């Protein structure tokens, strides 16, 4: 039986299994011997057509008259038992001995079954930076080289070429190369010395803040005000650098744009637009010279962040989960337009409409902003960002601390406090941010509306939380004085 003759139900189940965590990429690259550029082409074609990438792989491979039993053998070499089982009815009985061999191996002294191995590999894939970013971004892991396109049908090992080669830097990218590759290569590379001069030798006077990934300095580069993030990790596998470069392809009004990067100096650096309005955290805590945020300004921030998150969560193909939504990662420009920054923990979400979440081996993020299903069960889904957003909404309404030891122990976290107050039937307007409560800028009803959204976004069960698209639509439908003037 040829690949293109596979029964519809078997074909669909194989696609479901191999689409999970992009397992089809290992099949294509390591076992079918497709080049890196071939894999990118398959992925992009599937995205454009709105079909499973595994289905597109089978279509391409099947055009060379490959048979189902050849696929069975490749799955055997992958030790992917569930997919082999799926194909068992489509191969001759003599091939089933290979499946039995893998299945019975779990009865030996080594208790780790082949299924366990596959599951461990999938978990590692879900948690690794290689699964969290598109393939072309790995050029940095190869010391600035990128894969060139292979013109063979398959079986060719991709060659590598310096990213500073004229054929790439002057725009001579091979026709048909992936759009992501073009976007990544278009990011300006800056020298470390340039950035050192731009920040006045990393002057303390220019220090904007510190975080888990390093320090952020303001500076002037080519007469342009910039923020330079100097990263701690410099081992060539810096997840922050790779993910931020990847995300530069997702241009959106509410995502912080990356101006350039520095690679190869004492520290890796990322260069961003300087956000004159500071962070939402600074504005809520009164850490800047700016006046307190008005309700119309808070609405604008909430609306913009919801808009940015729904864009990430509803991208065609696989959603992107930020993983660390909090006021410190929401930056404001001079017009108070919010932009989501710090994508160092961003990861790809579950692929396909029937996939609600994926299991990860490690939990990252800021604990008071994370839901229990992620903290305890390590279930990652877009609902994690929804929960974090709900906590931020309540912070914007009340300016309460996200974790406060002075509150009774069951409700020291803000999310628990929200639901305790909700159960008691409290009027959330009484918790309005003290800096605007009782002033002409006060808006008790909007405070209640923000709190209502926060309650729904922080529901214990993730399936009870709204999607970010639903939140965005709810905010968009709100009526408030001067809404059009403050948002447009």
């Amino acid at each position: 039986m040829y690949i293109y003759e596979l029964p519809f139900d078997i074909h669909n189940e194989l696609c479901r299994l191999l689409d999970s965590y992009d397992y089809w990429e290992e099949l294509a690259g390591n076992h079918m011997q497709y080049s890196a550029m071939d894999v990118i082409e398959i992925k992009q074609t599937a995205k454009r057509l709105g079909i499973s990438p595994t289905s597109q792989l089978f279509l391409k491979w099947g055009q060379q008259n490959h048979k189902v039993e050849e696929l069975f053998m490749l799955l055997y070499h992958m030790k992917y038992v569930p997919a082999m089982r799926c194909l068992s009815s489509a191969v001759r009985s003599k091939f089933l001995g290979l499946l039995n061999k893998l299945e019975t191996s779990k009865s030996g002294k080594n208790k780790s079954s082949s299924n366990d191995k596959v599951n461990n590999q999938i978990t590692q894939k879900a948690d690794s930076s290689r699964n969290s970013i598109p393939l072309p971004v790995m050029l940095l892991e190869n010391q600035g080289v990128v894969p060139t396109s292979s013109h063979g049908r398959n079986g060719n090992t991709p060659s590598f070429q310096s990213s500073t080669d004229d054929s790439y830097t002057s725009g001579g990218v091979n026709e048909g190369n992936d759009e992501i590759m073009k976007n990544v290569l278009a990011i300006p590379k800056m020298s470390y010395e340039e950035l050192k001069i731009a920040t006045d030798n990393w002057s303390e006077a220019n220090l904007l803040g510190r975080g888990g990934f390093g320090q952020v300095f303001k500076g002037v580069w080519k007469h342009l005000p910039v923020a330079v993030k100097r990263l701690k990790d410099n081992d060539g596998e810096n997840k922050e650098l790779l993910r931020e470069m990847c995300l530069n392809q997702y241009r959106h009004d509410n995502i912080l744009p990356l101006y350039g990067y520095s690679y190869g100096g004492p520290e890796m650096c990322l260069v961003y637009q300087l956000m004159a309005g500071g962070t939402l955290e600074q504005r809520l805590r009164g850490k800047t010279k700016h006046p307190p945020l008005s309700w119309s300004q808070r609405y604008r921030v909430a609306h913009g962040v919801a808009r940015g998150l729904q864009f990430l969560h509803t991208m065609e193909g696989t959603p992107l989960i930020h993983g660390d939504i909090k006021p410190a990662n929401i930056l404001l420009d001079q017009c108070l337009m919010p932009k989501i920054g710090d994508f160092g923990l961003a990861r790809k979400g579950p692929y396909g409409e029937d996939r609600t979440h994926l299991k990860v081996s490690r939990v990252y993020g800021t604990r008071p902003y994370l839901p229990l299903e992620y903290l305890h069960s390590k279930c990652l889904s877009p609902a994690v960002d929804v929960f974090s957003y709900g906590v931020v909404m309540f912070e914007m309404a009340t300016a309460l601390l996200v974790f406060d030891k002075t509150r009774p122990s069951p409700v020291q976290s803000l999310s628990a406090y929200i639901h305790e107050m909700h159960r008691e039937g409290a009027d959330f307007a009484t918790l309005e941010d003290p800096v605007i409560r009782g002033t002409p800028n006060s808006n008790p009803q909007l405070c209640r509306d923000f709190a209502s959204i926060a309650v729904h976004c922080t529901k214990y069960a993730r399936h009870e939380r709204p999607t970010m698209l639903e939140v965005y639509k709810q905010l968009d439908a709100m009526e408030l004085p001067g809404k059009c003037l403050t948002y447009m």
Side-chain angles (χ1 to χ4, degrees), residues 269-344:
C269 299
L270 291 161
V271 183
Y272 302 95
Q273 172 187 350
L274 182 65
M275 301 294 282
T279 68
L280 177 59
E281 180 181 43
Q282 292 170 333
R283 300 298 294 268
L284 291 177
R285 307 298 169 212
K287 295 179 180 178
T288 70
K289 297 177 291 184
H290 300 92
L293 293 171
S294 67
W295 267 110
S296 59
Q297 291 168 337
R298 293 172 201 235
Y299 169 82
R300 178 175 183 159
V301 173
H303 188 274
V305 174
R307 185 167 172 253
L309 284 175
Q310 68 86 24
F311 168 77
L312 294 174
H313 290 181
T314 58
M315 286 190 301
E316 187 178 353
T318 306
L320 195 75
I321 302 166
H322 184 280
D324 199 19
I325 293 296
K326 58 184 179 180
N329 290 337
I330 297 168
L331 298 100
L332 309 174
D333 67 12
Q334 66 273 19
C335 300
L336 296 184
M337 170 74 79
K339 296 183 188 290
I340 302 168
D342 204 339
F343 282 82

Side-chain angles (χ1 to χ4, degrees), residues 129-383:
S129 62
R130 285 173 175 78
N131 187 56
S132 304
I133 58 174
L135 188 62
V137 189
M138 294 180 195
L139 63 95
L140 290 178
E141 296 185 19
N142 295 294
Q143 300 298 316
V145 294
V146 297
T148 60
S149 180
S150 167
H151 295 288
R153 290 194 308 177
N154 60 14
N156 294 328
T157 302
S159 58
F160 287 88
Q161 175 173 330
S162 169
S163 62
T164 59
D165 188 291
D166 290 341
S167 65
Y168 283 86
T169 57
S170 63
V173 183
N174 289 331
E175 186 175 356
N177 271 8
D178 176 73
E179 189 66 25
I180 299 174
M181 174 74 86
K182 295 177 185 177
N183 290 337
V184 170
L185 293 176
I187 303 172
K189 184 175 181 180
M190 306 170 180
S191 76
Y192 183 83
E193 288 303 315
E194 276 185 284
L195 300 181
K196 187 175 178 181
I197 294 169
T199 58
D200 193 17
N201 196 22
W202 311 111
S203 167
E204 282 288 323
N206 287 329
L207 183 64
L208 294 174
R210 292 183 174 88
F213 289 101
Q215 300 169 309
V216 181
F217 296 83
K218 66 178 177 181
V220 177
W221 178 78
K222 296 187 183 299
H223 307 291
L224 182 70
V226 294
V228 182
K229 183 183 289 188
R230 191 168 63 163
L231 303 175
K232 289 179 182 178
D233 183 10
N234 198 20
D235 62 1
E237 294 265 351
N238 196 294
K239 296 180 179 68
E240 172 91 344
L241 182 66
L242 294 174
R243 288 190 175 101
E244 294 279 0
M245 287 190 68
C246 156
L247 282 159
N248 192 60
Q249 69 182 290
Y250 303 125
R251 296 303 181 98
H252 189 274
D253 288 344
N254 300 112
I255 293 177
L256 185 65
L258 179 67
Y259 282 172
Y261 71 100
S262 173
Y263 182 82
E267 295 98 12
M268 298 180 192
C269 299
L270 291 161
V271 183
Y272 302 95
Q273 172 187 350
L274 182 65
M275 301 294 282
T279 68
L280 177 59
E281 180 181 43
Q282 292 170 333
R283 300 298 294 268
L284 291 177
R285 307 298 169 212
K287 295 179 180 178
T288 70
K289 297 177 291 184
H290 300 92
L293 293 171
S294 67
W295 267 110
S296 59
Q297 291 168 337
R298 293 172 201 235
Y299 169 82
R300 178 175 183 159
V301 173
H303 188 274
V305 174
R307 185 167 172 253
L309 284 175
Q310 68 86 24
F311 168 77
L312 294 174
H313 290 181
T314 58
M315 286 190 301
E316 187 178 353
T318 306
L320 195 75
I321 302 166
H322 184 280
D324 199 19
I325 293 296
K326 58 184 179 180
N329 290 337
I330 297 168
L331 298 100
L332 309 174
D333 67 12
Q334 66 273 19
C335 300
L336 296 184
M337 170 74 79
K339 296 183 188 290
I340 302 168
D342 204 339
F343 282 82
L345 301 181
R347 283 185 277 190
K348 285 165 64 176
Y351 177 85
E353 293 183 1
D354 59 333
R355 302 284 297 175
T356 60
H357 68 282
L358 54 85
K359 297 276 280 188
V360 296
S361 60
R362 292 187 64 184
V363 170
Y364 298 95
T366 307
R367 191 176 183 88
Y369 295 92
L370 301 177
L372 289 179
E373 84 271 359
Y374 185 42
L375 289 169
H376 295 172
S377 305
K378 300 177 181 176
C379 294
L380 181 65
S381 71

Side-chain angles (χ1 to χ4, degrees), residues 11 17 19 80 85 95 108 113 135 157 222 226 232 254 272 317 332 338 376 441 443 460 482 486:
H11 176 276
L17 290 169
D19 283 350
Y80 198 178
R85 282 203 203 103
F95 284 87
S113 69
L135 188 62
T157 302
K222 296 187 183 299
V226 294
K232 289 179 182 178
N254 300 112
Y272 302 95
L332 309 174
H376 295 172
N441 284 325
N443 192 326
Y460 176 80
T486 57

Side-chain angles (χ1 to χ4, degrees), residues 87-102:
L87 273 183
S88 61
S89 63
V91 298
R92 286 173 289 173
S93 58
K94 68 177 185 178
F95 284 87
L96 299 181
L98 298 174
L99 175 59
N100 294 334
K101 181 179 177 181
L102 289 179

